[in-house]
Amino acid sequence: RFSKPFLLLSLAVSARGLSIPAQWAADGGAPRLNISRKGVVTAGCSHAGDFAHQFHITYSSMVSGACVFAGQPYRCATTRFPGDQLVAKTHETSVPNCDGCPENETLIYDHCKNHPQWVDVGKLPDFPRRACGQNPIKYTECIDDVKHLFDDRVYLFRGTHDRCYLNGAVANVQALYGQMLTSPADQMKFVNNLPFPHTLPTNSTPFFNHSEPAWFDGPGECLRWVYPDIKYAGTYKEENVYAFNQSLYMDDPGVGVNEKGFIYIPDMCKPGKAAAEGCKMLMLTNGCHDFGGGDDKDFSRYGEANGIVILKACVGGYVDKDRFPQAHEVQRGLLDVYGQLDTNYVFQSAPHMKFVGKVLRAVTGW
């Protein structure tokens, strides 16, 4: 028998022409698929780029790479550096938690994006290396051992006309990864010389102050870097998009998790069809209520031709404002990359990190 949330979800899915595969559980949860153990990467732009980068490091035992289109460094939003200017902490501040600030003071909002010169890049790896204990990791639901990052691949992008992440902001992400990868020159690519505004560019995206397409394939550039064995894009198939019931992975209904997420399953990756080594999987976590807009189809075309499942866990749901009065960005449908829901927002135990981790485990079975 279907639960009421699943019936509502099924009606919404049917209205879009999507189908619920018969082999899925009656509760409408995400499907279990055969995914390669070294085949999972994350991608995103802006707040979703922040999250893609942070989820990669936090779950590095399960995630093997990241594509960050405009992102700030790991846990940077709540870390005080010697050059930081402080402001009074009020009910209106978007940085309710600060590591190293005096009582009743906090950081300027977006200090890592607007003032990248204040960031001490040498300090950035300290937290993921030490916060959970060392040799061995002492705490559960914390941060995976950074040894899992050693052989990962990373693609970074910032348009030269990006006014949200100023020059130097994404370079600081590069500097962080540069201290954590075995051979940064071989494992990391940073595109920062193209005149795009703040965007994840696709072939139809124009350069800043232009109207004609620039024909820069951001999704393809990302995927060809993190998966060196892939080549061309295929055909997007609407019938391969499925919605799933995210309430099954929601520990707290008041932290902005949406009721449904989406997954694109290429023909070659459907249950019983994947090769023995498994398919790859790209995680596009974002604020979302649907699938197919933005860059979804562009990534999915590559997925169809190259055996890459596209997993889109979604935030943008109900936020309990009484418990989280300063979660202004989460209330706008964004991911918590500012510590607005939890002081330790990069830990696996944090609301959004835990939710997405549970979806990842549901699909992979790891």
Side-chain angles (χ1 to χ4, degrees):
R1 211 181 147 171
F2 295 127
S3 64
K4 182 178 179 182
F6 179 66
L7 287 174
L8 293 175
L9 176 61
S10 299
L11 289 173
V13 169
S14 298
R16 291 194 63 241
L18 306 181
S19 59
I20 298 292
Q23 66 269 25
W24 289 21
D27 56 16
R32 178 70 54 82
L33 301 174
N34 183 15
I35 303 297
S36 169
R37 188 73 206 203
K38 296 293 289 182
V40 176
V41 301
T42 60
C45 178
S46 197
H47 75 104
D50 297 348
F51 189 84
H53 162 53
Q54 293 177 156
F55 191 87
H56 173 212
I57 291 179
T58 295
Y59 284 92
S60 61
S61 67
M62 295 194 290
V63 179
S64 299
C67 293
V68 182
F69 292 83
Q72 61 181 314
Y74 192 84
R75 198 176 170 267
C76 194
T78 62
T79 301
R80 182 188 180 186
F81 302 100
D84 267 311
Q85 296 179 17
L86 303 181
V87 295
K89 184 187 291 186
T90 70
H91 292 298
E92 301 302 319
T93 182
S94 290
V95 190
N97 297 298
C98 167
D99 183 3
C101 291
E103 189 177 359
N104 298 321
E105 290 187 298
T106 191
L107 299 162
I108 294 174
Y109 175 66
D110 272 348
H111 71 137
C112 298
K113 294 157 59 173
N114 295 326
H115 304 281
Q117 72 278 9
W118 293 351
V119 176
D120 179 358
V121 295
K123 181 180 179 180
L124 292 175
D126 290 349
F127 193 84
R129 284 175 175 163
R130 301 174 181 175
C132 305
Q134 290 178 297
N135 304 318
I137 299 290
K138 297 182 177 67
Y139 307 111
T140 59
E141 292 191 311
C142 196
I143 302 168
D144 285 344
D145 194 318
V146 297
K147 68 181 182 182
H148 298 292
L149 295 165
F150 291 169
D151 62 350
D152 287 0
R153 295 182 68 83
V154 175
Y155 179 90
L156 305 174
F157 180 92
R158 177 190 175 270
T160 59
H161 289 270
D162 190 331
R163 296 174 180 173
C164 297
Y165 289 71
L166 300 188
N167 189 29
V170 185
N172 287 338
V173 179
Q174 179 189 34
L176 168 59
Y177 274 125
Q179 298 171 75
M180 306 185 84
L181 304 178
T182 299
S183 180
D186 299 319
Q187 296 168 238
M188 181 164 49
K189 183 176 183 178
F190 184 18
V191 177
N192 62 348
N193 60 349
L194 298 176
F196 283 106
H198 182 63
T199 188
L200 193 168
T202 63
N203 280 321
S204 62
T205 307
F207 286 138
F208 176 78
N209 210 26
H210 286 68
S211 57
E212 66 276 9
W215 297 106
F216 181 80
D217 181 11
E221 292 292 317
C222 145
L223 292 173
R224 280 189 289 269
W225 180 259
V226 294
Y227 299 129
D229 59 327
I230 76 164
K231 297 179 181 179
Y232 53 86
T235 301
Y236 174 80
K237 298 183 177 181
E238 180 74 14
E239 64 269 22
N240 285 348
V241 181
Y242 305 101
F244 62 89
N245 180 4
Q246 291 192 154
S247 67
L248 301 171
Y249 318 109
M250 189 190 307
D251 286 357
D252 185 335
V255 295
V257 174
N258 215 321
E259 291 185 357
K260 61 180 177 178
F262 301 90
I263 189 166
Y264 184 95
I265 309 177
D267 287 342
M268 68 180 77
C269 298
K270 291 179 179 177
K273 294 186 178 181
E277 65 272 17
C279 283
K280 302 174 177 67
M281 187 164 75
L282 176 71
M283 301 181 68
L284 290 178
T285 309
N286 210 330
C288 44
H289 300 272
D290 210 334
F291 190 97
D295 45 64
D296 292 350
K297 291 183 179 179
D298 297 274
F299 280 112
S300 298
R301 290 186 186 102
Y302 280 95
E304 189 63 46
N306 298 279
I308 308 170
V309 173
I310 312 298
L311 176 61
K312 191 171 185 179
C314 296
V315 296
Y318 167 72
V319 180
D320 188 336
K321 296 180 182 179
D322 292 331
R323 288 191 293 135
F324 305 107
Q326 293 172 289
H328 306 302
E329 275 60 46
V330 181
Q331 292 169 19
R332 291 196 293 119
L334 307 186
L335 289 150
D336 184 21
V337 293
Y338 294 99
Q340 296 176 352
L341 298 175
D342 194 296
T343 302
N344 295 317
Y345 66 104
V346 296
F347 283 5
Q348 293 177 9
S349 59
H352 286 179
M353 282 285 180
K354 188 171 186 177
F355 147 64
V356 180
K358 290 176 76 171
V359 175
L360 172 59
R361 287 192 175 98
V363 175
T364 62
W366 302 340

